[in-house]
Structure formats: C-alpha cells, structure tokens
Amino acid sequence: MIETPYLLFLGDAPDMLAAKVAIGIRDWRPENALGQLRLPGCGADLGLPDMTLAEARAAGVRTVVVGVANRGGVISPAWKKALVMALEEGFDLASGLHNLLRDEPDLRAVAEATGRALHDVRVPEVAYPIANGVKRSGKRCLAVGTDCSVGKMYTAMAMERDMRAAGLKATFRATGQTGILITGDGVPLDAVVADFMAGSIEWLTPDNDPDHWDLIEGQGSLFHISYSGVTLALIHGGQPDALILCHEPTRTHMRGLPGHALRSLAELRDTALPLARIANPACAVVGVSINTQHMTEAEARAYLDGVETETGLPATDPYRFGAQKLVAALAAI
Amino acid sequence: MIETPYLLFLGDAPDMLAAKVAIGIRDWRPENALGQLRLPGCGADLGLPDMTLAEARAAGVRTVVVGVANRGGVISPAWKKALVMALEEGFDLASGLHNLLRDEPDLRAVAEATGRALHDVRVPEVAYPIANGVKRSGKRCLAVGTDCSVGKMYTAMAMERDMRAAGLKATFRATGQTGILITGDGVPLDAVVADFMAGSIEWLTPDNDPDHWDLIEGQGSLFHISYSGVTLALIHGGQPDALILCHEPTRTHMRGLPGHALRSLAELRDTALPLARIANPACAVVGVSINTQHMTEAEARAYLDGVETETGLPATDPYRFGAQKLVAALAAI
C-alpha cells in the first residue's frame, strides 16, 4: 500500500528514543530507508544521508515517513511547513501518530490539490471481533517487557530473521506503527477500541501450520500504568505458547513516569506467566532479551551471563549478538 | 442531558442477563423507570408495567432507553420498527450499545425529521489524557470480579447508598453504559481508545477531600480474556486504595467463554492485589461481595459464612443484605 523507498522525517526530535519509528525502518528494511530529513534543533541522527526534498526525489524516494513518536502523538506545528512542501514536491506522506495527517486541514487540502496520498497507519481499518479465547493451531511467541521501549519489537524482528535463515516457518506480527510501516501489515493496537483489543490480536494471529511461529510484537508493559491494559489484551488475545522477557538495565525509572521504579526480570516472569496461563495453560517463559545499547560489549556479555545464572534461562541481546539462543529455546518446547 | 422519566425498551432480550442495563436503571433510579416495552419473544421481565408508546406518553415518559446489552452491541433489525415508532411518537432515544443510534440511517433520518434526540452514551465525548500515575488526594475503592456481570456495579452502587446514608462522602463513578444512563455522567470505558484507557479513569477520579471515597464501577475481569485489558487499565488508572472481590458462585464457566472455568476468590485476590500495588503500593483487599441471586436466603447466608471463614474478609451480598460490612471495612483502612 505505501510506496517505497522512503525519506525518513525526523522533525525536531529531541533524542534517538523519540526517533524509534525511523530507527526501526532503517534497521529492518534498510533498502527502503534512503535518507533522513531533519529540522533545526533535531537531536536525532540515523547515520543516513541528510537529504533535501530535491535530493530525495533525485534518489527515487516515493514517500516521506514521519519517523518520530511523540508522547501523545501530536503533529507539531514546526513540522507542518516541511510536510506541506513534501506534498507539493510530489511525495506521499505516511505516519503512525495518534494525531492523523488526514485530520490536519492544510495537509489534507494540499494532498487533495496535488493528488498525493496521506497514509495514517495508526488507524484501524478492520472491524475486529470480540475475542473468543478459542485455541488456534500453530505456535505463538510474545515478547513482554519490564518497561515500554525496551526492545520488544527488535526481539521479535531478530527472531523472525534468524528463524527464516534457519529454514523455520516464522512471521513477525506487527502491533504498532513502526512494525506496520516496516511490514505493511498489522494491528495498530494503541488505537483499537478497548472492547476489541484482544479480538484484534486473535484476528492478527489466526490458525496456522503446527510448526509455524507467530512472533508477536509486544506493546507497553504490565508494570507501566499508562499502557498495562494494552499489554494484558495482547497477552490474552495472543494466547502465547512462549514468552520472552525483555529488559533495558540502565534505565533509572519507568519511561515517562518519574518516581515509578523499574521492576526486575524475576518480577516480570512472576507477573506475566500466571496471566498468560489464563489464556494458555501450557505457556512457558523460554528466554530473556536484554537491550545492551548503553553498555560496552564486555559489560553486555557479563550482564547476560549474570542473567542466565540468576534466571536459569538463555539470555542474549538479539540485535547485538543474534537471536539464535532464543530460537533454540523455542524449538525446545 | 437525557430527559427523564424513561420507558425501558427490552426488545427481544432472551433472558434477564441481557437486560442488565434496564435492570440497573430500575433498581437504582426507580423513579425514572415508569415502564417496559417488550417485543414478541422477549424472555426478560422487569416487573414494571408493560406500556404501549401511547400509554408511556400519557404517563409522562420523555425518553425510550434501549435497556438491552447484546454481545457485540448490535442494534437488531427486529428493534428498528419499534424505535422508529418511538421517535415518531415524540420520544427521545438513549442507548449504550457499541452500534450507535446515530449510525443507523433510518433512525437518524426520523430523528432529524421529528426533532428528537439520539443519545449514544457509549461514545466518549472527552479527549482523555494518557495516564501519568501521579498520586491523587482522596480515597478510591474498586470492585473486581472473577467474571463479567457478577455484580461489580451493584456493589459500588450499594456502597454509595449506604455510605451516604451514614453521612460519609462517597461518589459512584460510572465506567459503563448502565452506570452512565443511571447517573448521567462517567467514562464509557469499553469504547475508549486503548492508549487512553487508564488516563480516562484518572480523569474520572480526580483529587478530592482526604475523607472522600470514589466508588469506581468495575469492568470485565482479569480472568476474562476478552476484556481483561480493560480491567487492568481500570486498576492502574483508578489507583485504588481498596479492592472488593466480586463473585457469582453458581456460574459454571466464564460468561461467553465455554471451556474457560471460573476462578476462585483466592485466585482473584492473589492476581488482582499485586497488580493493583504496581499503581498504589498501599492497596488492600478489604471485603468480598457475593451475588446470591440464584440462591435461597439460607443458602446465601451459609455461603457468605463460608467465604468469611476461608478468606478472613467480611463478605456480604450488598444488594440483598446491604453493604454495611463493606463500608465498615473501608472505614478501617
């Protein structure tokens, strides 16, 4: 649906965490990420060529993707001028923000005048059912985190990559805007109406071959009071056979919630597993995924060794060291 | 906003459970429930006078309330004729169904032609914030259930009644269509977009007097995979100081989920309390509310005695025997 390749719009993102969408596209579909467009004050840098709109057109870019996720999902007035220019220069726009491109009168007017498309991937396009809890064929794995933005999507993406490389049947199932922008398909779970959250995940992960694994993108955290309900709907709608615990050890408090201390991997296991077994009594915790981006390689390896000793589970940073340990753990259940 | 009194439309409701909305209005605002309107095949009976539209008009009715909650919230074609006639006879319509009155072209056309109002209380009218987890002043109590439709709303309503009768400060906080239709205010949580669920409950239960109790209407159940995410958002957005455990002992499986066995009160306590303490470490389970409608009075009293012995908590059926035990338990924390 969304024409590739992309120019990744970073706006005035204060830091790299705010550029999560763009980073995901760069890392998992690098062939689609030709360049970045940054405004004054932007504190993020993807390491891609900085391109003007003219340069992007010369390079073959078809769509400008808003690669920034704000708290609250607002389209900043500071971005408007650049986005209007992009439409005028002949690019489509794509965004996963809560605040829709189509709801901005100026963007809508220019898009209509120029015949360009506005893709709001956050908007659910499907009338999802209410979850029925019926067991489906095939296997499902879900990454759950001690916090938001700790690497759940990367974990599932890396497992898909390594499983496919090993000749196994695996499908990444996107539940957020980045995943949908990367794969072109999925459920924008944050924007689904409450009653249909779990049903949307049943819809996303239907019956499949007995040896096929759905690798479901996690959202939020059971410990993050702003989004914990979304996480539980994902656990109960996904009916996972396997859980991967995800953690970012250098964080000092829950993202966006000063005063809320980070919980441990053991607390996550003891909280998530009984809840998952309500939907699937056979569910097991099979491994740990650590986001070691703020550690040296030696620190990372020492930390992973410690986690394996403490939890008795295989632990890796799947982005840094590969997901093979987690793939092997799935094969064992 | 909604003009009273009401005629309660039961349509072709197969049983009394489906007429939950109408029953709630009858029980908690009897002065507004003048009569019932039933179609052929209706298996529900509120014990109110059956009225034609002409009789309802003569009795002073202003609004016909759709008092039936279907699975999926659909407006049945079988209801259409009666609802169109009600508009033509000069009544407003009010409904809490997912499928909106305003989205039915025939109802909308007749309402516009006759100048009548269509009230869809399920539609959120507020731009709720994302939850911030900040501690609010005042106290909050939340009823959680082993299943859906076990008496959580009645528990909170009965506690409000008995607390006010005792001169205490208490406010029932509606989170579903019945509660909103009864009180005229609240959050239609089932219909809130996922990311804003917990924030909507923070909005609903703001800072208050230190000795004031919000009695928050529960929704769903942590054990009901279709709606558990809604329940957890309510627990984390509400930051309850006190939990009441609710149970209906005669149910053989989770409502709408054949094959999913009902969980015990002990399992509910052990699941809900650690989750509630993520948002409010001081939260305590203070009492048990049993829905004994399918038991004789002797059976009910014996069952309650057993629950008190097993759990060490005060137990009552607040609708049948009053909520004083639960009110006393709140006063003790």
Side-chain angles (χ1 to χ4, degrees), chain A residues 163-307:
Chain A
M163 290 176 81
R164 289 185 171 182
L168 300 169
K169 296 178 191 169
T171 307
F172 173 82
R173 299 294 189 183
T175 63
Q177 64 268 31
T178 308
I180 296 171
L181 285 169
I182 293 173
T183 65
D185 198 9
V187 167
L189 186 58
D190 290 355
V192 171
V193 164
D195 252 7
F196 302 96
M197 292 187 298
S200 76
I201 303 304
E202 291 189 347
W203 173 91
L204 181 67
T205 60
D207 282 323
N208 215 316
D209 295 342
D211 57 343
H212 176 276
W213 280 92
D214 277 329
L215 303 161
I216 307 172
E217 180 188 358
Q219 292 294 334
S221 167
L222 291 168
F223 299 136
H224 196 295
I225 60 90
S226 309
Y227 309 114
S228 54
V230 181
T231 307
L232 187 54
L234 197 48
I235 292 173
H236 283 173
Q239 276 186 13
D241 303 277
L243 295 177
I244 307 284
L245 309 180
C246 299
H247 188 56
E248 203 282 73
T250 67
R251 213 161 285 183
T252 53
H253 61 75
M254 300 292 288
R255 181 153 169 80
L257 300 177
H260 287 247
L262 215 66
R263 306 292 177 121
S264 70
L265 285 163
E267 286 173 294
L268 177 58
R269 177 195 62 210
D270 295 344
T271 302
L273 187 58
L275 291 171
R277 286 183 170 167
I278 292 168
N280 182 355
C283 185
V285 173
V286 299
V288 179
S289 173
I290 302 292
N291 178 344
T292 65
Q293 65 176 318
H294 298 302
M295 298 173 159
T296 66
E297 184 170 334
E299 286 169 347
R301 291 195 185 278
Y303 188 86
L304 290 169
D305 286 346
V307 167

Side-chain angles (χ1 to χ4, degrees), chain A residues 98 131 190 192 194-195 226 228-229 236, chain B residues 98 131 190 192 194-195 226 228-229 236:
Chain A
H98 270 298
D190 290 355
V192 171
D195 252 7
S226 309
S228 54
H236 283 173
Chain B
H98 270 298
D190 290 356
V192 172
D195 252 8
S226 308
S228 54
H236 283 173

Side-chain angles (χ1 to χ4, degrees), chain A residues 131-136 202 235-237 239 275-281, chain B residues 71 146-148 221-228 251-264 267:
Chain A
N132 63 23
V134 174
K135 178 80 179 159
R136 282 107 64 203
E202 291 189 347
I235 292 173
H236 283 173
Q239 276 186 13
L275 291 171
R277 286 183 170 167
I278 292 168
N280 182 355
Chain B
R71 190 169 162 88
T146 52
D147 194 2
C148 299
S221 166
L222 292 168
F223 299 137
H224 196 294
I225 59 91
S226 308
Y227 309 113
S228 54
R251 214 161 284 182
T252 54
H253 61 75
M254 299 293 288
R255 181 152 169 81
L257 300 176
H260 287 247
L262 215 67
R263 306 292 177 122
S264 71
E267 287 172 295

Side-chain angles (χ1 to χ4, degrees), chain A residues 95-132:
Chain A
S95 159
L97 300 177
H98 270 298
N99 191 342
L100 305 183
L101 299 172
R102 69 182 72 164
D103 286 346
E104 300 293 310
D106 44 0
L107 294 180
R108 188 165 188 151
V110 177
E112 281 171 8
T114 57
R116 306 319 311 164
L118 301 177
H119 297 285
D120 288 299
V121 303
R122 182 174 286 273
V123 180
E125 305 283 356
V126 173
Y128 302 115
I130 287 178
N132 63 23

Side-chain angles (χ1 to χ4, degrees), chain A residues 29-109:
Chain A
R29 293 293 186 274
E31 65 276 22
N32 289 341
L34 297 196
Q36 62 187 7
L37 177 56
R38 303 191 290 166
L39 298 180
C42 182
D45 183 355
L46 300 170
L48 295 173
D50 283 297
M51 286 185 179
T52 64
L53 292 170
E55 289 166 344
R57 191 155 52 174
V61 164
R62 304 294 295 272
T63 300
V64 174
V65 175
V66 178
V68 185
N70 285 358
R71 191 169 160 87
V74 174
I75 295 173
S76 155
W79 302 354
K80 272 293 181 58
K81 192 176 162 193
L83 296 178
V84 166
M85 281 181 62
L87 289 168
E88 288 172 345
E89 295 285 326
F91 300 101
D92 290 343
L93 296 182
S95 159
L97 300 177
H98 270 298
N99 191 342
L100 305 183
L101 299 172
R102 69 182 72 164
D103 286 346
E104 300 293 310
D106 44 0
L107 294 180
R108 188 165 188 151

